[in-house]
Amino acid sequence: MKKYIKHLYILTLIVGVSVFYSFKEHQSDKNPEKDQVLMEALRFILEKGHYEPKLIDDTFSEGIFKNFIENLDPYKRYFLASDVAQFKKYYHDIDNQIIRRKFDFYNEVIETFAIRLKESEGLYEDILKNKFDYSVKESINLDAETAEFPINKEEQRNIWRKHLKFSTVNKLNDYLKEEEDKAKEDKNYKAQYFDVLEKKAREKTLDNIKDLFYYEHQTPESDRFAIFLNCITAQFDPHTSYFAPDMKKRFDSSMAGSIEGIGARLSDERGYTKIVELIPGGPAYKQGDLEVGDYIVKVAQGTKGEPTDIVGMRLTDAIELIKGKKGTTVVLTVKKVDNTYKKIAIVRDIVEFEDTFVKSSIAIKDGKKYGIIHLPKFYIDFSKQEQRNSAIDMRIEIEELKKDGIEGLAIDLRNNGGGSLSTAIDIAGLFIEKGPVVQVKYKNNKPDIRNDEDSKIVWNGPLVIMVNELSASASEILAAAMQDYKRAIIIGSKQTYGKGTVQNVIPINQYLNYSEDLGALKLTIQKFYRINGGSTQLKGVSSDIVMPDRYSYLDIAESKLEAPLNWDQIAKATYSNNNYYSNFSQVVSQVQNSISTNKQFNKIDEYAKWLKRNQDHLTYSLNLKTFQSDQEKLNIEAEKYKDILKYNSPYKFVSPGYESKLVQVDTILKDKRSVWHKNLHEDIYVNEALEALSQLKVAQ
């Protein structure tokens, strides 16, 4: 099964589905009637409202079977092979149970899980009583895809022993390194004995595993049932998901939507807490060390706090440890995409909305000026006080840059996960006359062609748009429209993320007369299409000029998710893509050839391949010396690539004229722009975008 990631790009639209029931409320915590009501409501909404509803058949049943068991036991250390064999009687019956509103499969799996959970609890304390033998040559495979369920209790114990030993080896290695560093700093320091550190490592592993089991025991019935329901919704597509009432509240107040914390969107990937997105302007974004694709494995409160291992912990509980009050420090131990480990201290703060807005800079070379606009989100009404709108802000920035005499404009959409569709259309309209920008389609309906209705062109000069693998949704709409009109050169990764679907968050009680809160459903209801007729789904937008980057070979695109909707094509809209530039093809060819022979880009491509090899390597030695040697080798290799993305640009970066006056009196803004301009100066991708921009000539 492909890696399953819950991505959180949401566009709020209205869906034409309603369902009405009236039932009496039961007071017990476990309410079979309520579960039946919820199941029927979800089934109805999914079948009637989903853009591409799936047939609930035996294949559908197989997917739920696999997903539910893997969600409960991703590392195959609770269930026995005989348990799974027993569950197999439901392999082709879960679909029938959904239709009949029966839960035989769910109930038996949950009951068996509770038994195995209790049995496993009796194992770990016994295993951690005694010192491990770290000289034995053995390893652990953490690839959930290839791992198998234990055939008996003895094999199960050995699996637990390996997991506990792996955790202890990690901690012991950290303690040994800390002692080594202290000895280097102070020659009189008396290092602790190995046995003392080994016992300390085992005790810390014991504390962490107790926490894990505590969280498992505290998991409410509604959350377990929500996991099951999400295994059903996941068969439709990766963006359709169910939120139980408590989970919805935690989701709303978590760092994924809160303005206080570290400013990151997280997902649960087989027991690991993964960074999905960094919120522009947030503490993690500013600190700079945390990256999309990193896994958080430990969380410590303050620089002196003992870290808590969160591998295997529920995402909601992990979030509770990570988020916190403004001004407090959280120390995250993260597993980087290259398999190295790094401690990152982040001071929690309130995400500054101002940093998520459009901002611009001027690049100067040989007396010529070029504008750069960074658009982190397609926002609208982002601040209720100011009613900010990304399209209006973009227009203002362009008008100001024009006053400064720019000869070309680059728009940076890298890492922009999307947002408001209407602002994407309005921004496209700044560069073209009236015409179609995107096609939006409900199932079984004709596509709705969304047009730019304003004939005024705000910028008619050379235009380059920067993208990468994390440019998604509305970013892809803007880039695709500019490419179809041949209005801009698209430069960046081989293709963008490939999310061509729209979701709506539906409170289930909105369509159901029931006294208890039944939660909400995030439902895929529409698909985007380019004006040339092709979907942005899966394929995204292919760059005209491709630049190697560190994400080139990593599994982070829509196509790598489980059960994504297919790419398809509809009729093209009526539009004209006259040759806007006299030398478009020549510039694309020349810059692409330059990148292909550039030694730094070749090195970046080598780095990207190295990252992919390490991401796929999931077998670790449990021999302490070998483990230390492997980690040291990884650290040395990582050090070789430490500054691989750094560049010394020939361009000088300054604030636009109107902002130059502001930075003279606003020291905070001055510091922010100073950091941004330094980053632009060291960004090889910005340099190549400017090189392409400087060569483009508008046809007369």
Side-chain angles (χ1 to χ4, degrees):
M1 184 179 73
K2 293 178 181 177
K3 294 180 179 178
Y4 181 73
I5 305 174
K6 295 275 188 183
H7 284 271
L8 304 171
Y9 304 116
I10 300 173
L11 291 174
T12 303
L13 297 170
I14 298 174
V15 59
V17 177
S18 61
V19 52
F20 298 93
Y21 293 94
S22 179
F23 292 93
K24 292 182 180 178
E25 179 181 345
H26 284 212
Q27 298 300 317
S28 61
D29 291 334
K30 188 175 177 62
N31 189 340
E33 186 183 77
K34 178 183 174 182
D35 292 345
Q36 290 179 337
V37 171
L38 181 54
M39 176 68 80
E40 185 68 14
L42 282 182
R43 180 188 158 209
F44 186 91
I45 296 172
L46 286 165
E47 289 183 339
K48 301 298 181 182
H50 193 275
Y51 180 85
E52 199 172 279
K54 297 293 176 69
L55 187 63
I56 300 179
D57 57 9
D58 286 352
T59 301
F60 192 89
S61 180
E62 291 173 7
I64 297 171
F65 182 94
K66 184 178 181 182
N67 278 5
F68 188 50
I69 293 172
E70 287 185 347
N71 267 276
L72 290 175
D73 190 9
Y75 294 102
K76 299 178 173 65
R77 54 189 182 183
Y78 294 111
F79 291 125
L80 299 175
S82 57
D83 295 329
V84 180
Q86 179 69 16
F87 301 150
K88 275 282 187 176
K89 64 190 176 190
Y90 300 115
Y91 198 51
H92 289 149
D93 190 48
I94 303 171
D95 54 320
N96 302 316
Q97 292 180 25
I98 291 172
I99 294 169
R100 298 195 308 266
R101 295 187 295 171
K102 298 292 184 182
F103 307 104
D104 298 342
F105 167 72
Y106 168 78
N107 289 332
E108 184 168 329
V109 171
I110 288 297
E111 288 168 7
T112 306
F113 181 74
I115 293 169
R116 298 302 180 220
L117 190 67
K118 189 173 182 180
E119 291 174 350
S120 298
E121 202 164 10
L123 288 175
Y124 70 79
E125 289 198 30
D126 186 50
I127 292 171
L128 289 169
K129 279 180 182 177
N130 302 309
K131 178 181 174 182
F132 289 110
D133 184 350
Y134 300 100
S135 64
V136 176
K137 292 184 178 180
E138 60 178 346
S139 60
I140 184 171
N141 174 24
L142 295 181
D143 184 358
E145 293 288 337
T146 59
E148 295 182 353
F149 289 100
I151 60 174
N152 53 39
K153 294 293 183 66
E154 183 180 350
E155 191 172 301
Q156 183 185 47
R157 179 185 175 87
N158 193 46
I159 289 173
W160 271 105
R161 181 190 65 81
K162 283 190 172 186
H163 277 274
L164 295 170
K165 185 177 180 182
F166 177 65
S167 178
T168 305
V169 166
N170 265 286
K171 292 172 176 58
L172 180 55
N173 181 52
D174 288 344
Y175 293 151
L176 289 169
K177 284 174 64 178
E178 287 172 7
E179 291 298 300
E180 185 180 329
D181 292 342
K182 289 176 182 177
K184 287 179 181 178
E185 293 173 6
D186 182 1
K187 293 182 179 180
N188 296 320
Y189 178 75
K190 188 176 181 181
Q192 296 185 59
Y193 292 113
F194 178 88
D195 284 351
V196 173
L197 297 175
E198 195 278 337
K199 184 179 180 182
K200 180 182 175 183
R202 271 188 293 118
E203 288 174 344
K204 186 57 185 173
T205 296
L206 179 61
D207 288 342
N208 286 332
I209 204 71
K210 282 182 176 179
D211 287 342
L212 174 63
F213 275 84
Y214 171 79
Y215 287 117
E216 286 287 0
H217 288 308
Q218 293 299 309
T219 301
E221 172 70 22
S222 61
D223 281 12
R224 296 275 191 230
F225 191 59
I227 291 172
F228 177 63
L229 294 179
N230 271 305
C231 290
I232 295 173
T233 61
Q235 305 309 304
F236 284 79
D237 79 284
H239 302 289
T240 293
S241 56
Y242 168 72
F243 294 113
D246 288 344
M247 295 174 81
K248 179 64 165 60
K249 289 174 185 175
R250 287 195 294 265
F251 171 76
D252 289 338
S253 64
S254 74
M255 70 186 64
S258 175
I259 60 171
E260 194 166 16
I262 67 168
R265 298 190 193 276
L266 308 177
S267 72
D268 181 359
E269 188 173 292
R270 298 184 182 277
Y272 278 93
T273 298
K274 184 175 183 178
I275 304 297
V276 173
E277 181 185 2
L278 298 177
I279 310 302
Y285 181 91
K286 291 178 181 177
Q287 197 275 341
D289 288 335
L290 203 62
E291 298 175 285
V292 171
D294 287 349
Y295 294 101
I296 303 174
V297 295
K298 299 176 187 175
V299 180
Q301 307 304 322
T303 55
K304 295 182 180 180
E306 274 291 318
T308 298
D309 195 326
I310 64 169
V311 177
M313 188 181 291
R314 287 184 305 156
L315 180 62
T316 50
D317 294 318
I319 286 174
E320 288 300 317
L321 292 175
I322 297 168
K323 72 178 185 179
K325 294 295 183 183
K326 174 183 176 180
T328 60
T329 299
V330 62
V331 179
L332 309 177
T333 301
V334 301
K335 179 184 176 185
K336 307 294 287 182
V337 292
D338 59 10
N339 267 357
T340 59
Y341 288 83
K342 186 173 185 177
K343 286 186 178 180
I344 301 174
I346 300 173
V347 178
R348 301 174 176 111
D349 201 351
I350 294 175
V351 177
E352 298 178 33
F353 288 154
E354 190 63 37
D355 287 342
T356 69
F357 293 143
V358 167
K359 62 183 177 183
S360 66
S361 175
I362 294 175
I364 305 172
K365 180 185 175 185
D366 299 332
K368 295 186 176 181
K369 297 178 181 179
Y370 305 95
I372 299 175
I373 295 181
H374 180 229
L375 178 62
K377 287 286 179 188
F378 289 83
Y379 52 86
I380 187 168
D381 295 342
F382 199 83
S383 166
K384 291 182 180 179
Q385 293 179 336
E386 298 183 38
Q387 299 292 306
R388 296 293 295 264
N389 178 309
S390 55
I392 294 173
D393 288 353
M394 178 75 78
R395 178 189 289 267
I396 292 170
E397 292 295 330
I398 294 173
E399 295 289 5
E400 293 294 339
L401 290 170
K402 284 165 64 177
K403 293 177 184 177
D404 290 316
I406 63 168
E407 298 184 35
L409 177 64
I411 299 176
D412 190 353
L413 297 180
R414 291 175 298 172
N415 304 319
N416 184 324
S420 164
L421 171 63
S422 63
T423 59
I425 295 170
D426 290 343
I427 289 172
L430 302 176
F431 311 109
I432 61 171
E433 292 183 356
K434 283 184 178 181
V437 174
V438 65
Q439 303 187 75
V440 184
K441 187 177 183 299
Y442 282 105
K443 68 171 183 177
N444 303 325
N445 286 1
K446 290 182 179 180
D448 177 18
I449 300 175
R450 306 288 179 87
N451 295 283
D452 162 43
E453 303 291 350
D454 187 350
S455 60
K456 182 183 178 183
I457 298 177
V458 177
W459 174 252
N460 60 7
L463 180 65
V464 167
I465 294 181
M466 301 178 66
V467 297
N468 65 2
E469 290 89 347
L470 296 174
S471 303
S473 197
S475 291
E476 295 173 295
I477 291 169
L478 176 59
M482 295 300 95
Q483 189 175 62
D484 289 342
Y485 278 107
K486 291 191 176 178
R487 179 63 184 89
I489 286 179
I490 311 302
I491 184 169
S493 57
K494 186 176 180 181
Q495 72 160 72
T496 55
Y497 186 81
K499 182 181 184 290
T501 59
V502 187
Q503 286 70 47
N504 178 37
V505 179
I506 304 170
I508 296 172
N509 289 78
Q510 180 177 328
Y511 307 102
L512 186 67
N513 183 17
Y514 195 76
S515 55
E516 284 189 47
D517 185 358
L518 295 173
L521 180 66
K522 179 155 69 79
L523 184 70
T524 296
I525 59 170
Q526 289 178 321
K527 236 180 171 182
F528 289 132
Y529 293 87
R530 301 171 65 139
I531 56 175
N532 71 7
S535 172
T536 57
Q537 177 67 9
L538 298 186
K539 291 188 178 182
V541 179
S542 298
S543 294
D544 299 309
I545 299 173
V546 178
M547 297 186 287
D549 65 30
R550 56 188 161 177
Y551 298 121
S552 294
Y553 306 102
L554 299 181
D555 297 338
I556 61 173
E558 175 89 1
S559 60
K560 304 302 180 183
L561 305 184
E562 185 175 336
L565 297 189
N566 294 323
W567 179 89
D568 62 341
Q569 196 166 13
I570 60 176
K572 65 180 293 187
T574 302
Y575 67 100
S576 174
N577 58 353
N578 297 327
N579 291 326
Y580 201 87
Y581 302 100
S582 61
N583 64 341
F584 186 95
S585 298
Q586 296 95 312
V587 172
V588 167
S589 178
Q590 288 171 11
V591 176
Q592 189 68 75
N593 288 337
S594 173
I595 290 170
S596 299
T597 57
N598 184 295
K599 290 183 179 179
Q600 185 168 353
F601 275 118
N602 289 334
K603 196 76 173 176
I604 290 171
D605 191 58
E606 175 190 311
Y607 173 49
K609 291 175 180 175
W610 179 78
L611 286 175
K612 176 61 176 174
R613 287 196 300 272
N614 282 293
Q615 185 190 54
D616 291 341
H617 181 76
L618 294 170
T619 300
Y620 298 87
S621 175
L622 297 178
N623 176 285
L624 180 59
K625 288 186 177 179
T626 304
F627 180 87
Q628 291 174 315
S629 175
D630 290 344
Q631 288 300 308
E632 183 63 25
K633 181 182 177 182
L634 267 177
N635 290 332
I636 291 171
E637 290 176 348
E639 185 69 20
K640 183 172 67 172
Y641 296 114
K642 184 179 68 171
D643 296 322
I644 192 65
L645 300 176
K646 291 289 180 69
Y647 183 76
N648 186 18
S649 175
Y651 290 88
K652 178 184 177 182
F653 298 89
V654 298
S655 290
Y658 83 92
E659 195 175 79
S660 297
K661 300 173 184 177
L662 297 176
V663 297
Q664 293 176 9
V665 295
D666 189 337
T667 57
I668 295 177
L669 179 62
K670 182 179 180 180
D671 290 342
K672 288 179 180 178
R673 292 300 182 258
S674 177
V675 171
W676 185 41
H677 292 159
K678 179 178 183 293
N679 291 338
L680 289 172
H681 183 77
E682 295 177 347
D683 192 330
I684 189 171
Y685 300 101
V686 168
N687 182 77
E688 294 305 310
L690 291 170
E691 287 300 297
L693 188 61
S694 67
Q695 296 177 41
L696 269 181
K697 290 183 173 59
V698 176
Q700 299 300 319

